[in-house]
Every structure is written in structure tokens, then in C-alpha cells.
Amino acid sequence: MACLKGLNWLNDEVMNIYMGLLLDRDAERRRAGLVPTCHFFNSFFVNKLYKDAHAYSYKAVQRWTLPKKLNLQNQARALFTPFSILDVERVIVPVHLGNHWTCALIDLVAQEIVYFDSLGGREDKILRALRSYIADEYRDKRNAEVDTSEWPIRYPRDVPLQQNGCDCGVFALQFAEHLSRGAPMDFSQLDMPFFRAKIAADIMTGRIA
Amino acid sequence: MAETDQKPDINASEHVNIRVVAQDGNVVQFKIKKKAQLRKLMTAYTERLGLQEGSVIFLYDGLRIQREQTPNDLGMEEEAQLEVMMAQEGGG
């Protein structure tokens, strides 16, 4: 929690607690009939799927999305039975790159992968792994063949950028939060002190205000 | 006749074998009681690898394990696999 103060770097704990709060809020939003419906992975997902072995491994994350596992994350209560992450519109994935945080979006409606990096970077290999993941997930959980190999990988030009070397985690969480409401990325470096305080308050109260 | 029937092996079902897999693929095996808190396994693992406790995170099927949880709490089956992840940090 202390890492939210001042200009400190954010750690996995804060990132993943916040992802948990986003999952909770998504369940609330679904009950209220709001879209887009979302699933959020934690910051270790990309490590297991691709990064650690520097090779794609569906098997390493195959069990992460079993209905009973999603149930533990409150997701199954949110209207779908049987529940699969393929039922949502957006899968939001925080990405950890050594000492940098970014955010990827798997848009299951538009059928594209979109990447949000506050330093303007590109990660083709990771994004291609996410694309393959969706095809494997369809095969494993739905017994369906879905060709995702032509889904575009997109790097939006108007992604808000950080102007320092310490706020990427805050940017990544805001990318995730805005994506989950379908809101425009209408923030900048100037908003970061406010977002740090807000994230700390949300974590303290256990709910995204 | 009843005496020759096989009785369920109570000892075997009290324990569970757990594979702990590091990010580099290194595997350490543990056998612990299903009712025992996983803190013991976590401490044993970090000591064995000379890691600081708190520098790593243990996941079961992607979900972070809390120290007080037991294999029973988590519905762990035989040869359950835990993943050890290095804590992450990032600024830019």
C-alpha cells in the first residue's frame, strides 16, 4: 500500500488487489445491466502464458479459467451458467515487463487485441500469445475451432503517456479501469496524483468508488 | 469375509503430494497433510532456495495462496501443482 504514495513504483500486490476490485465491480455492473462485461487476469498470467519460458504455453494457464476457479473470483455469480471467460466482451490483462507495467485488451466483440503502454512500446510476441490463447481457450472449454490468427493487433496512437519513470503502474490500472467501462482515455500525467489517492482509497474501502 | 475386504488407506488420504514449480521450471516436491496450513510449505520452500519470504508469491491455478489456507480449503488433488512467482514491481 505504501507504494501508492508519492512517486513510488507499484508492486504486484496493489496491481492484483485492484484487478480483484475490478472483478467485483464487473459483477455489480452486470447485475445493473451495464456493458461491456469483462474478465480481468492477474499480473502473473502473461508470465505463465508466454514470458517465463519465452515460448507460448497454453497448458500453463489452462486451469486458471475452469468454472470452479472463476467461481472463486465471484465471476460465475454474475449471470452466466456455465461460465467461461469467452462469455464476456473484454478480457483485460495487466502485463509486467521487468520493471514496467502495461495493459492489454482482448476484445472478443471487435475480435482484436489492443495494447496500452504509457511509454508507447510494442509487444508483438506477447499479444500474439494472447491471440493464440483465445483460440486454445475455445478449443479447450467450448470444443470449438475459432481462428484468431487474423485478429488485428492494434497500438492506438492516442494512448496517454507518462512523463516520469514511476507512474506506469498507475497508468496501467487506469487503462484497465477505463477499458472496463468503455470510457475514453481522457487522462494525462497530471491526473496521476489524484489516481494514486483514489486507488489507495478504493483498496482501503474494498470497492471502486 | 468382511475382514479380507480392503479397508481404505486412511494415511494415504490424509496427505497430498504437491509439486512446487518455479518460473525457471525447477520443481520441488512436498508431501503435506491436507489439513495443514500451507505456511509450512512456503517457509520450507523459501528456506531451501535461500529466498526471502515475501519475495515470492505462490499461486494455485492462478489464484494467490494465503498462508493460512490448507490443501483442503483449496480443493487440492493428488499431484497438485503450485507456481512460485517472483514479486513484481514497475515504474516506467
Side-chain angles (χ1 to χ4, degrees):
Chain A
M1 278 296 288
C3 71
L4 281 162
K5 288 213 178 98
L7 296 172
N8 291 325
W9 288 17
L10 264 52
N11 59 25
D12 55 278
E13 197 150 9
V14 164
M15 299 300 284
N16 291 329
I17 290 173
Y18 197 78
M19 288 296 141
L21 295 181
L22 284 169
L23 276 166
D24 291 345
R25 188 180 69 173
D26 184 70
E28 264 179 50
R29 284 172 53 86
R30 286 189 209 187
R31 280 192 288 273
L34 296 170
V35 290
T37 53
C38 301
H39 182 67
F40 303 85
F41 279 115
N42 67 30
S43 65
F44 301 112
F45 177 78
V46 169
N47 288 78
K48 293 318 278 183
L49 178 73
Y50 172 77
K51 234 168 67 66
D52 286 349
H54 280 282
Y56 174 76
S57 169
Y58 175 69
K59 202 166 166 280
V61 295
Q62 186 177 9
R63 291 174 50 89
W64 289 36
T65 49
L66 293 173
K68 66 178 175 188
K69 299 294 165 183
L70 294 170
N71 204 359
L72 292 173
Q73 303 170 62
N74 280 336
Q75 281 294 75
R77 278 184 226 153
L79 307 178
F80 297 113
T81 21
F83 182 77
S84 145
I85 61 148
L86 300 167
D87 292 317
V88 304
E89 290 162 339
R90 295 183 162 191
V91 179
I92 295 170
V93 189
V95 181
H96 183 248
L97 302 165
N99 54 12
H100 183 42
W101 292 108
T102 66
C103 181
L105 164 68
I106 304 171
D107 191 327
L108 293 167
V109 177
Q111 304 199 329
E112 62 178 10
I113 315 288
V114 194
Y115 189 58
F116 298 86
D117 179 349
S118 53
L119 289 178
R122 289 171 170 247
E123 288 294 335
D124 287 337
K125 286 181 184 167
I126 288 173
L127 301 180
R128 279 203 293 270
L130 291 176
R131 200 165 61 178
S132 306
Y133 168 76
I134 293 300
D136 277 325
E137 188 73 355
Y138 268 109
R139 202 168 295 129
D140 186 63
K141 306 290 192 300
R142 288 273 176 83
N143 203 15
E145 289 300 318
V146 175
D147 182 8
T148 59
S149 62
E150 300 292 317
W151 288 20
I153 287 170
R154 216 155 55 73
Y155 299 96
R157 257 183 246 152
D158 51 354
V159 173
L161 298 179
Q162 65 187 103
Q163 310 297 329
N164 61 18
C166 47
D167 276 332
C168 65
V170 190
F171 272 90
L173 290 182
Q174 289 312 309
F175 294 146
E177 195 277 328
H178 283 65
L179 287 170
S180 73
R181 288 183 290 122
M185 302 288 178
D186 55 357
F187 55 87
S188 75
Q189 178 67 54
L190 296 174
D191 300 305
M192 292 304 123
F194 167 76
F195 282 138
R196 279 181 182 263
K198 181 170 184 305
I199 292 164
D202 288 345
I203 288 176
M204 227 103 85
T205 56
R207 188 171 181 277
I208 295 174
Chain B
M1 278 304 280
E3 279 132 302
T4 60
D5 285 351
Q6 277 207 326
K7 285 181 185 163
D9 189 345
I10 294 163
N11 281 332
S13 61
E14 265 182 5
H15 291 83
V16 62
N17 281 305
I18 298 178
R19 291 160 50 83
V20 182
V21 184
Q23 281 173 286
D24 62 5
N26 177 43
V27 179
V28 181
Q29 285 263 13
F30 289 89
K31 185 172 187 173
I32 72 164
K33 282 194 175 151
K34 287 182 178 171
K35 286 182 189 164
Q37 295 190 349
L38 286 155
R39 68 168 74 232
K40 261 176 120 174
L41 177 152
M42 295 180 178
T43 307
Y45 183 86
T46 46
E47 277 176 5
R48 183 150 159 188
L49 274 87
L51 299 166
Q52 265 201 312
E53 248 182 308
S55 70
V56 289
I57 286 111
F58 293 83
L59 303 178
Y60 179 53
D61 291 341
L63 295 177
R64 183 173 185 164
I65 294 170
Q66 305 300 326
R67 296 169 56 79
E68 313 73 46
Q69 288 181 305
T70 68
N72 271 345
D73 293 340
L74 296 163
M76 283 186 182
E77 292 141 21
E78 195 52 28
E79 294 294 313
Q81 183 165 313
L82 300 190
E83 276 120 29
V84 194
M85 309 298 291
M86 297 303 291
Q88 300 168 327
E89 249 196 352

